[in-house]
Amino acid sequence: MRTRFAPSPTGYLHIGGARTALYSWLHARKHGGRFVLRIEDTDLERSTAESVNAILEGMTWLGLEYDEGPFYQTDRFARYKEVIQQLMDKGLAYRCYCTREELDAMREEAMKRKEKPRYDGRCRMRNESREGVEPVIRFKNPTDGVVVVDDLIKGKVVFQNRELDDLIIARSDGTPTYNLTVVVDDWDMGITHVIRGDDHLNNTPRQINLLQALGAELPIYAHVPMILGEDGKRLSKRHGAVSVMQYREEGYLPEALLNYLVRLGWSCGDQEIFSIDEMIEKFDVSDVGGAASTFNPEKLLWLNQQYIIAAEPSVIAHHLSIHLGKLGIDPCDGPDIMDVVMAQKERAQTLVEMAQISEFIYRDFENYDEAAAKKHLRPVAQAPLEQMREALAAVEDWRPEVLHQLVKDVAEALDVKMGKVAQPLRVAVVGRAASPGIDVTLHLVGKDATLRRIDKALDFIRQRAAN
Ligand code: GLU
């Protein structure tokens, strides 16, 4: 069993490609097969090294490790030439000297007859070359009969050979075309299962005919349906992030994205959350639905949150440090990052959000949230804040348990509910009305910053009273 992922490096690794890669990868892993990565970079104008890197980076981030490759088609031109020559030698391919004008006329006539424009094979017979025309090479497609694609996802799909014309396999400059390179590679690489997007379904009968002409064993095909945006149109940038790496930037966990992608078009009872091992165990490409699926960003966000809550805190700590770094924060200049993770992991849907809501732990904020300040930093809060400041200043053992007791004591002394002390204190220290428990919050912020920020809040209240 051998599967492959064969992206063309003309852009980033997108959601659809990642799902196809995942399905191929799972199929290989499930059956103890091998997963091959092949970079289809023969389109020299559109392929870029940058895009190759983006694809490799995306695969690595997702953890879709390949057993062989990456192979580059541009390294294999000699081999393609050899196969084209083989087809020529066997009389299964021929040079076509048709001029542009001739081809245009052929197309116009077909249109007039309301037929699909197709090459009529006239150069099969015409053997003489033409001055000034560099020929292309065409494959002699069978002229009758059918090609049946027994697709694992789509079921039996029947194509009439008379609908397929003689495919160009080499351009006039001698370079091979897409269908030829795919066929040679799938053959040489011993691919047993071709799992790819269903935008390639129409290429499949042509590829099967070529494989048969070469005497190659046919792979089994599985054409994965497209992913649509919520408006029913093909998923694109208009629908938000479509690049895998953008999800990393936005603070998603790779496991959450994989989990989301595996469920897109496939299900296993009501189960929503699958570990990688469970995916390998339960996924079967023939259970993928034949219809397009709709991408739902909210569901992905929800899954991401589930993964953040359930993940090993040290894993989250690793990701959080990266996102704090992006905010210009050195996580070493602060409390133990594991404490930050434990305090915040149920409070954020993405790691970016977790970094943002943790900023106050590392640096003083500029402004208070307006509504929070209006509600909580009022003259009535002055006495509780002053008492808290005094009590806190005397604390030597800055632990959550000690701090909790202190807030409780001050509230009791003032004969108010704990919230009347804790909320002004929270806004003073965090700048907002939401944060982890006040004891944990104070502990994370540390003593110096806590006292400094209470002083600032007291100034704010005094000024407000004076105005
Ligand atoms: N290179 C093709 C693409 O990126 C995929 C070809 C294939 O999977 O057969 O669309």
Side-chain angles (χ1 to χ4, degrees), residues 25-26 62 255 258 274-281 307:
W25 182 82
L26 285 174
L62 288 172
E255 297 80 9
L258 288 175
F274 295 84
S275 67
I276 302 288
D277 287 341
E278 277 177 306
M279 286 184 208
I280 294 172
E281 187 196 320
Y307 270 84

Side-chain angles (χ1 to χ4, degrees), residues 4-10 14 17 20 38-41 55 73 178-179 181-183 186 194-197 199-200 203-204 207 221 223 234:
R4 53 36 162 214
F5 177 50
S8 304
T10 54
H14 56 82
T20 311
R38 180 168 84 221
I39 305 291
E40 304 208 318
D41 56 350
I55 291 167
Q73 288 193 321
Y178 161 72
N179 280 297
T181 59
V182 167
V183 158
D186 284 342
V194 170
I195 300 171
R196 63 181 170 198
D199 47 336
H200 288 288
N203 288 320
T204 305
Q207 293 180 8
Y221 293 92
H223 285 93
R234 194 188 173 126

Side-chain angles (χ1 to χ4, degrees), residues 5 8 13 30 39 41 93 145 172 215 249 256 286 409 457:
F5 177 50
S8 304
L13 176 62
K30 184 184 182 78
I39 305 291
D41 56 350
S172 51
E249 297 306 303
S286 43
D409 291 348

Side-chain angles (χ1 to χ4, degrees), residues 207 259 263 381 394 399:
Q207 293 180 8
N259 193 148
R263 282 282 290 101
R399 281 184 300 120

Side-chain angles (χ1 to χ4, degrees), residues 15 59 76 107 138 150 162 214 259 292 300 382 415 417 420 439:
I15 289 293
M59 299 283 286
R76 292 175 44 78
R107 178 167 309 124
R138 290 186 186 268
D150 208 352
R162 69 181 136 72
L214 291 165
N259 193 148
L300 172 55
Q382 190 169 339
D415 196 21
K417 288 208 178 113
K420 291 274 177 230
D439 46 356

